[in-house]
Amino acid sequence: MEKTYYNPADLSKFGNISELQPEMGRKFFDYYGEVFKEGALTAREKALIALAVSHAVQCPYCIDAYSTDCLEKGADENQMMEAVHVAAAIKGGAALVHGVQMMNKIKELTM
Amino acid sequence: MGSSVKSLKGRQHELSDAFFQLNVLQAPTQHGDQFPAFAGRLQEHGLYPLKPTGTTILQVNMGKMCNQTCKHCHVDAGPDRKEIMTREIMHQCLEALQQSPNITTVDLTGGAPEMNPDFRWFVEELSKLGRQVIVRCNLTIILANKKYHDLPAFFKQHGVHVVSSLPYFQASRTDAQRGDGVFEKSIKALQMLNEVGYGLEGSDLVLDLVYNPSGAFLPSAQASLEAEFKRRLRSGYSIEFHNLFCITNLPVSRFLDYLVQSGNYDTYMEKLVNAFNPVAAAGVMCRNTISVGWDGYLYDCDFNQMLELQVEQSSPRHIRDFNAAVLDRRSIVLNQHCYGCTAGAGSSCGGETVK
């Protein structure tokens, strides 16, 4: 088997992170479970946000998990791709808005 | 329909053989692991052997003939399937019902049950017996031929409860699962049902929809998806319906073929096994339903029927020998596909089993 840093089978072992630090692990998963419960936002809206964030943080495990989760929660392909564009817009915007800092520096350094 | 999919049987596919399907379900994963036996999981929760709670529903498969060839069909139904229930078997069903007053509901399925030439006669006879009749109508049959255009009026006349599959509120995913053009025709048929009064708020002409995931994933929570379906079908097409039943696709027949062909079989089974829910297991439909095959043989459910797993040997095995009291003492026949009905919130012909 080709050696890579990411193995899809590791996704199902996510819960194992508690083995080395049970207390923190438990607190994290309790919190995680609480976050994704239906609340002011629907479970589907939360899954779409998670999908967008997965792309922003470029986590392949999360992309796998939340693509499936979005499908299971009834999101359609357009909604899912729009969520990815939201992530892309924020990431792209975040890079571009620093262009103002660059422009400030240019002004500072040039005649 | 524009679908080019043929039945597994028509293609002489190895998975058209129930024995071969059961071998796939029992086989180890690609990594050599064995999925835990379903019966063992029930045993852990005090549910083994699984016993009936009392039969109240007779599900009748009127034949494998269908105008559609859906990719996930566990019946392997299609236009090329000729198996069809005879009027003689229907008479035997009526006799069984006459001696079984506790069976209040008769659930007609197929294939497209309406394609059976004795369908209307059977519905009329069932009505005379005062039983609630459910027809699992694939919707497009209503438009398939002139002779079916009056089905909504016929259903209304006999107070039939109509349950129809609509995998999604958009054409792309519906057509991918059920064939090109199915969505458009389904929408038209739903509008025809609404026109005669089906599905409207406060109407006792019940129209329920069935959602099956169009791929290797589990269904959503029923309530939230129902709200979304209602919103999208109302705003897009002025369609009303009563309930949405979310059903998990079981690894049987054409859906099993899809899972194997797409390389999703192991992960899908793993998902079902990990999502095992003892509360859902306690409410599975085989506990209050008997399934009758097109040829009159008896099964614990429609899925066991397609896997040719008849009711256990000590029970009456054909509708002509029907005896509800004896059948209610049987143990339900189980296999690995049963994980599909016990995953998450559970799955049955009436949707989630965890209320």
Side-chain angles (χ1 to χ4, degrees), chain A residues 44 68 72 74-77, chain B residues 168 170 173 218 220 232 271:
Chain A
R44 181 168 39 250
T68 307
E72 290 185 346
D76 68 34
E77 290 85 341
Chain B
Y168 208 55
Q170 287 173 347
R173 240 184 258 173
L218 299 186
S220 157
R232 302 286 282 260
K271 201 179 253 281

Side-chain angles (χ1 to χ4, degrees), chain B residues 109-120:
Chain B
T109 182
E114 302 90 340
M115 290 178 82
N116 186 309
D118 289 318
F119 168 76
R120 293 189 193 221

Side-chain angles (χ1 to χ4, degrees), chain A residues 9 12 38 44 68 71-80, chain B residues 168-170 173 211 217-220 224-225 228 232 270-271:
Chain A
S12 61
E38 195 102 6
R44 181 168 39 250
T68 307
L71 288 171
E72 290 185 346
K73 295 208 160 51
D76 68 34
E77 290 85 341
N78 287 339
Q79 291 171 329
M80 290 165 69
Chain B
Y168 208 55
F169 42 72
Q170 287 173 347
R173 240 184 258 173
Y211 164 86
F217 54 94
L218 299 186
S220 157
S224 105
L225 199 58
E228 185 71 354
R232 302 286 282 260
E270 189 178 281
K271 201 179 253 281

Side-chain angles (χ1 to χ4, degrees), chain B residues 137-210:
Chain B
C137 172
N138 72 14
L139 295 174
T140 63
I141 190 69
I142 295 174
L143 297 155
N145 186 302
K146 240 184 182 172
K147 67 180 176 182
Y148 299 125
H149 289 358
D150 67 335
L151 276 171
F154 175 77
F155 292 152
K156 179 181 180 174
Q157 187 189 345
H158 295 283
V160 167
H161 174 175
V162 177
V163 180
S164 294
S165 280
L166 188 72
Y168 208 55
F169 42 72
Q170 287 173 347
S172 57
R173 240 184 258 173
T174 300
D175 288 0
Q177 185 187 85
R178 295 175 80 78
D180 293 342
V182 165
F183 181 76
E184 200 184 326
K185 289 190 171 109
S186 300
I187 291 296
K188 182 108 200 291
L190 285 169
Q191 288 165 339
M192 288 166 75
L193 286 162
N194 278 170
E195 274 167 30
V196 300
Y198 269 97
L200 308 181
E201 201 182 325
S203 168
D204 54 3
L205 296 171
V206 182
L207 171 61
D208 293 330
L209 297 184
V210 173

